[in-house]
């Protein structure tokens, strides 16, 4: 599982995905973003994940092989980077077992983004070639589409807001509102709660973290 990229969320920067990236040293008060390329076999991931309890039940009950691979990959990554284990809260959101830090996860093909910090946060990662236009009218208001030409970043922002707030049954167009876009900074509301977001645009992917 090569770690391709890591940075502090408050000051995101990108100098290329590279397989020899070193693990970012984490302070307890730090907010950090990691991106991994999952290249191992399922057997290797399963051994590294060492699933137990409810996570093993989630793995066994997963509806597809790709979903099972996501489960073992994220568990293996969290154990490797954070020396912790994943569990889930009452809303189904991933949390760290016996750890005060919060996490958020995003999967895109063979890539996994992991955000970690002391406060509630969210992360979403999408390929830059994903066609958002086919459902844009259902999730974006006209005012939002005038903020930026990068619909991928708007979509990632809404997804990361949704994950950070931990709500369920949210109307993405009416209840999640992107207020402003200023460089790599965005602000947004979800059910009247305001959040700051950081955007990282890479050659192949866009990543947005909500703080």
């Amino acid at each position: 599982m090569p770690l391709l990229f890591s940075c502090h969320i408050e000051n995101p920067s990108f100098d290329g995905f590279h397989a020899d990236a070193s693990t970012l040293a984490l302070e307890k008060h730090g907010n950090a973003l990691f991106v991994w390329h999952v290249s191992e076999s399922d057997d290797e991931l399963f051994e590294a994940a060492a699933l137990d309890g409810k996570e093993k039940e989630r793995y066994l009950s997963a509806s597809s092989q790709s979903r099972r691979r996501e489960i073992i990959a994220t568990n293996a990554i969290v154990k490797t980077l954070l020396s912790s284990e994943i569990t889930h809260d009452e809303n189904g959101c991933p949390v760290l077992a016996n750890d005060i830090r919060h996490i958020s996860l995003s999967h895109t093909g063979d890539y996994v983004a992991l955000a970690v910090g002391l406060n509630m946060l969210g992360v979403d990662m999408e390929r830059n070639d994903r066609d958002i236009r086919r459902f844009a009218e259902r999730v974006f208001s006209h005012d939002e589409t005038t903020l930026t030409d990068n619909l991928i970043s708007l979509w990632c922002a809404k997804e990361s807001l949704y994950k950070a707030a931990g709500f369920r049954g949210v109307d993405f167009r009416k209840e999640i509102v992107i207020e402003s876009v200023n460089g790599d900074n965005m602000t947004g509301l979800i059910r009247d709660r305001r959040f700051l977001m950081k955007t990282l645009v890479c050659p192949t992917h866009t990543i947005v973290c909500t703080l």
Side-chain angles (χ1 to χ4, degrees), residues 95-179:
V95 296
L96 296 177
N98 303 314
D99 196 310
I100 62 173
R101 292 170 292 179
H102 296 270
I103 61 168
S104 182
L105 294 155
S106 182
H107 304 267
T108 304
D110 290 331
Y111 293 88
V112 178
L114 165 65
V116 57
L118 269 189
N119 299 312
M120 294 294 293
L121 42 68
V123 66
D124 193 62
M125 174 174 60
E126 298 286 351
R127 286 190 57 87
N128 292 333
D129 58 5
R130 182 177 180 186
D131 186 7
I132 302 295
R133 294 169 299 175
R134 58 190 176 87
F135 60 87
E137 290 186 357
R138 299 199 307 272
V139 295
F140 305 132
S141 69
H142 171 73
D143 288 345
E144 288 172 329
T145 58
T146 65
L147 296 173
T148 177
D149 293 330
N150 188 347
L151 294 182
I152 294 288
S153 67
L154 287 180
W155 174 246
C156 287
K158 293 212 172 192
E159 282 279 7
S160 67
L161 273 168
Y162 176 72
K163 293 177 182 179
F167 297 136
R168 287 292 179 264
V170 175
D171 186 314
F172 269 54
R173 194 176 194 277
K174 296 179 180 179
E175 296 182 279
I176 304 179
V177 179
I178 308 303
E179 293 182 303

Side-chain angles (χ1 to χ4, degrees), residues 176-203:
I176 304 179
V177 179
I178 308 303
E179 293 182 303
S180 67
V181 177
N182 182 16
D184 63 10
N185 294 310
M186 288 192 279
T187 59
L189 295 170
I190 177 168
R191 292 183 179 172
D192 298 324
R193 290 180 60 187
R194 181 171 284 105
F195 290 87
L196 170 68
M197 291 163 283
K198 291 287 186 175
T199 306
L200 185 67
V201 179
C202 311

Side-chain angles (χ1 to χ4, degrees), residues 15 21 24 43 79 90 93 121 133 138 149 175 178 209:
D15 61 359
L24 184 70
D43 288 342
K79 285 191 176 182
E90 63 275 10
C93 299
L121 42 68
R133 294 169 299 175
R138 299 199 307 272
D149 293 330
E175 296 182 279
I178 308 303
C209 295

Side-chain angles (χ1 to χ4, degrees), residues 61-102:
S61 63
S63 58
S64 66
Q65 182 57 34
S66 62
R67 179 60 185 142
R68 287 191 288 272
R69 183 171 173 81
E70 285 183 359
I71 292 171
I72 53 177
T74 51
N75 275 271
I77 289 167
V78 166
K79 285 191 176 182
T80 300
L81 286 177
L82 307 180
S83 300
S84 189
E85 297 183 353
I86 296 176
T87 183
H88 290 79
D89 64 17
E90 63 275 10
N91 291 319
C93 299
V95 296
L96 296 177
N98 303 314
D99 196 310
I100 62 173
R101 292 170 292 179
H102 296 270

Side-chain angles (χ1 to χ4, degrees), residues 49-57 79 85:
L51 298 181
D52 195 9
K54 290 186 177 180
E55 280 302 290
K56 188 171 184 179
E57 292 178 11
K79 285 191 176 182
E85 297 183 353

